[in-house]
Each structure stands twice: as C-alpha cells, then as structure tokens.
Amino acid sequence: MNYFPVFFDLTGQKVLIVGGGEVALRKVSLLERTGALITVVAPEVAPELVARAAARQLTLNRREFAPEDLDGMRLVIVATSRRAVNRWIATLSESRNIPVNVVDDREASRFIVPAIIDREPVLVAVSTGGTSPVLARRLREKLEAFIPTRIGELASWLRALRGSTRKKLRDSDERRRFFEAVVDGPAARRFIEGDSQGAQRIAQQLLATTSAAPRATGEVTLVGAGPGDPELLTIKALRALQDADVILYDRLVPAEVLDLARRDAAQICVGKAAGNIGSTQHEINALLIEHATQGKRVVRLKGGDPFIFGRGGEELQALAAAQINFSVVPGITAAIGGAAYAGIPLTHRDYAQSVTFVTGHNQDEGTEPDWRTLVVPGTTTVFYMGLARLDRIVEKLLEHGAPATRPAGIIAQGTMAGQRVITATLATIRGVASDAKLNSPALLVVGDVVALHSTLAWFGVNAEIGLSQTA
Ligand code: SAH
C-alpha cells in the first residue's frame, strides 16, 4: 500500500492554503465543509475568496507566504503557480512535521487528496495513488451511480435506531444480527426508496422478533411488467427485478422483460394466461409465502398493472394473512399502453368523458358488468380478456341500446412488435375480427374515440386503417 488512508477530523483545526487562484478556491470549498479554520495566503486572490474572507469564512493574508505562516497549522495545501515556491514551502512544512499537499505534485506531497463522494455522513474516497486523477474520477462516477442517493440519510437513520435497540437487545450478537437484517433486507431498501415510515415499521417488527426467535425477513414485491414493450417498465420495476432472488411470473410477461432480471435470480413461471390453468392461485400464494419465509427477495411479476385484473389484491391478502412484508410497483395496464400505441385516446373532450375497464371473462361466474352504464353515450369501454367472448359482448351492448354504428376496435398484442389494430363498428366488428385472425392477448375498445385511430395511429406498419368505412 503506497498510502495510508485516513479520515481526518478537522473541526476547529487550523489549515493553511498557499495560493489564491481557482485551485485554491476549490480546496477552500471542500475544506469549509469540515469546519476547519482556514487561512489563505497569496498576494493575488480570486474575488470569491475575498468575498468569503469578508463573510468571515476564512482568514485572508494578501501577501507572499512567510515561514511563520506555518505556525500552529495542522495541514498545509500549496497551490501557487510557481513550482519552486511550492517545493520550498513543502520542504519547510516537512521539516516541521506538518502534513503537506502540493497540488499536482505528488512527489513534493506528504498526503494526497482522494476523489470523493460526499453523502453526509457517508463518505467514499477513491485514490489511484496519484497515478491518474482521471481514472480516479471515472471510478468515482461509477460508484456514484451505484451508491443510492439516500445512503447518507440511511446512515443517520441507522444511528438513530441504535439508541432504541440498546435497551431492547442487550447482547451485541443480537444487535449485529438485527442490523444485518435491517441493512440487507426490506427495511433499508424501503428507506432508500423514500418510504421512511415503512422502513421504520419493518425495523420495529424485526426488533420485536430478533430478541425472541430471529427469523429471516423476506419480502414480496408485486411488480407490474407493463403491456409488452419492455421499455415501458418503470425504474422501480427494473430495480426490483435486479434485486430479486426469486421471480414468479405470469405467461403474459414478455421474455425481454425477464432478460432484465438479475442473472442468478430463480425464475419460476406460474403461467396464468387466459384459458390456461397453470398453477392455481392457491399454489401461487403458497409459493410466494414459502420463498419469502426463507428470507428471499421475491418479485411477483405480472403483465400490465398488478391491480387491474391481475389478482394482485388476492395475493397481497394472502401475504398479509401470513404476515409477510410486501410492496407494490404499478405498471402500465394493457388498456393504457395499448390505446396509446394504437392512437386511441381513451378520453377526449369531444367524444368521451369517462372510461371503464371491464373484464369479458367473469360471466360464467355470474358477475355480469352493468351493461346499461356501458352503453351511455360519451363513454369508452375497454374489455380485457374479451376476444373469446366477442359475440356475447357485442350482443349484450346492442341489446342494452348501444347504436350499431358505435365504433369498436380490437388491439391485439398492444405495444409489442406484433401489434395489430382493427377498427369497425358494433355491427361489423365480429366479421372484421374473424377475418383478421388476431392473436391474443387482445383488448376490445368500444366508443366514439375508436374512430380517431384512423388519424392518430402511429405505431407499427400493420395498422389496418379504414376498415370502419366498410361498415
Ligand atoms: N394486469 C393486466 C391484465 C391481465 S388480464 C394489465 O393490467 O394489463 C389479461 C388480459 O389483458 C388479456 O386477455 C388482454 O385482454 C389484456 N392484455 C394484456 N396485455 C395485452 C396487450 N399487450 N395487448 C392487448 N391486450 C392485452
């Protein structure tokens, strides 16, 4: 090791800076944050430094350096433009055992100043031993991107937690276990994401269990994968995927999204596509609980948004009953994503004042939508899982008084490379759809806004514009 790294407490300590230019100013700005008592000596001084002296942030001696300036100094930084002068001051400092740094002159320096990331109270220092400041800066940038912005606040919170654990956890082993669980687990993750209250709650739970029987604390994050285009993932979804130990995903989730997950995360398909049984809901709940209880970070990945026809609510209820921590990352639901990519605004001042998302699937189970509200003029209705039930849906709408001329469209594989959009009217949509031989997943959209597709379509070359004119 060519240098011994230390963090030097300079509060109230005298530091001398020789030189009054830009470089000196940068050093002053850095040192100010430490609470050091700064003296600057230089015959010519940048206006910024004069201003700071006037504000009593530092002592300014506008003259040439004199050896007495070193009296009582803890640290010296030399930044004049004259190399010989710099070296002379360095030698003088050395002879008096005062650590000295000569800017850009490693050989003349007793200490060098690292590149830093300052996230009070967390401080990361990087040094290449003076070999390459550029390399040090690049390294710092990489670390910068990797270290969460709130790491400093996290550190302060952990310090505050220490107080409350002292009373509860007397044994230092117990305390260490507790803090490991906080730092490695959902508590710290929540905190870093900005949910301090959630973090506090989880830490309290941990505190309650650590002293009794230490239990691994996993958690489940319910993540919306969006409608298909992987770039429609949220940044939070991406982070959850990259932090996951286990991912349980539905068949609707595109492979490109799974490719973004952490390489060594276990990926389990619990394959629920419409009309395909896959694992039962009960089995899925059991899997979620099992993995989380083992202390794993579990991501439950669903197409679109987890709370829109995604059974997200049911799964969370099961987790709540099993006392497992969970959080939810929303996703762009198929109707929002598909409509955007099809150029069908779901509301429009001239055509639609409300929009309803309905499932076309539940009729077997006896829960019918309220057809009367869906045929009201000025509404847009989006049917999920509606393709297989297209005949029945159209019949019901007509039966409840929807005009046969009302525009209706189908968005198949919305937002994906294979997206296809067909538009027609309630009278013609069945024929047009069966001719088009669309692939699932698909949405049925009913309402005047569908007609806008002919002018607003922008995505994909296969958009079949103008079919409504065949009505
Ligand atoms: N939670 C999902 C919906 C799950 S239900 C969401 O918020 O989007 C499954 C139904 O969603 C499918 O039958 C289909 O109607 C619709 N769907 C999902 N992805 C789709 C896509 N890319 N294009 C069109 N419809 C889609």
Side-chain angles (χ1 to χ4, degrees), residues 333-355:
T333 189
I336 305 282
Y341 278 48
I344 299 176
L346 293 176
T347 69
H348 186 292
R349 289 223 298 195
D350 299 334
Y351 305 107
Q353 284 65 50
S354 69
V355 55

Side-chain angles (χ1 to χ4, degrees), residues 226-229 250 252 272-274 302-311 331-338 357-359 361 382-387 411-416 419 439-444:
D229 179 348
D250 286 345
L252 218 48
K272 289 208 310 177
K302 290 169 172 290
D305 179 86
F307 281 179
I308 301 284
F309 307 126
R311 302 227 189 172
I332 293 181
T333 189
I336 305 282
F357 298 164
V358 193
T359 162
H361 219 225
V382 184
F383 292 89
Y384 285 67
M385 299 172 275
L387 202 52
I411 304 168
Q413 300 188 321
T415 81
M416 301 186 223
Q419 170 175 303
N439 291 323
S440 66
L443 293 163
L444 169 67

Side-chain angles (χ1 to χ4, degrees), residues 22-224:
E22 277 301 310
V23 182
L25 177 60
R26 275 208 300 281
K27 299 293 173 196
V28 166
S29 302
L30 197 62
L31 278 165
E32 266 176 356
R33 297 195 236 157
T34 66
L37 304 175
I38 304 168
T39 303
V40 175
V41 186
E44 278 167 48
V45 193
E48 261 290 300
L49 286 170
V50 178
R52 290 188 198 199
R56 295 170 176 275
Q57 287 165 291
L58 52 85
T59 307
L60 181 57
N61 296 324
R62 295 177 87 157
R63 52 167 173 75
E64 289 289 351
F65 166 85
E68 306 80 73
D69 287 329
L70 294 175
D71 294 349
M73 291 298 161
R74 279 291 200 151
L75 219 61
V76 177
I77 295 178
V78 189
T80 84
S81 51
R82 290 166 299 171
R83 188 176 152 90
V85 173
N86 287 352
R87 291 216 152 184
W88 169 59
I89 300 170
T91 312
L92 275 176
S93 306
E94 275 289 283
S95 68
R96 297 177 59 169
N97 289 326
I98 307 170
V100 61
N101 171 260
V102 181
V103 175
D104 288 338
D105 189 349
R106 186 168 66 100
E107 280 165 42
S109 298
R110 176 55 55 188
F111 71 92
I112 55 175
V113 182
I116 61 163
I117 301 167
D118 183 4
R119 306 261 163 88
E120 258 288 305
V122 173
L123 195 59
V124 180
V126 178
S127 167
T128 54
T131 53
S132 168
V134 174
L135 182 61
R137 273 205 297 280
R138 289 291 173 273
L139 252 172
R140 187 199 61 198
E141 284 160 16
K142 289 221 164 75
L143 289 168
E144 186 105 46
F146 169 77
I147 296 170
T149 329
R150 277 170 57 83
I151 196 90
E153 282 103 324
L154 175 67
S156 302
W157 178 59
L158 292 171
R159 178 170 50 205
L161 266 185
R162 236 179 4 220
S164 48
T165 56
R166 269 275 143 68
K167 281 167 255 148
K168 192 106 207 274
L169 309 173
R170 299 196 177 275
D171 168 350
S172 71
D173 245 19
E174 261 177 14
R175 270 204 297 277
R176 181 181 44 76
R177 263 206 315 274
F178 169 76
F179 278 106
E180 278 171 1
V182 170
V183 171
D184 300 337
R189 204 153 350 104
R190 286 279 175 102
F191 191 95
I192 277 170
E193 285 178 359
D195 179 9
S196 326
Q197 282 182 7
Q200 185 72 30
R201 184 174 48 75
I202 295 173
Q204 294 308 338
Q205 283 173 5
L206 265 173
L207 194 56
T209 54
T210 309
S211 53
R215 181 168 73 97
T217 52
E219 87 167 336
V220 176
T221 310
L222 196 54
V223 177

Side-chain angles (χ1 to χ4, degrees), residues 318-329:
L319 294 172
Q323 291 186 305
I324 288 179
N325 285 305
F326 54 79
S327 56
V328 184
V329 178

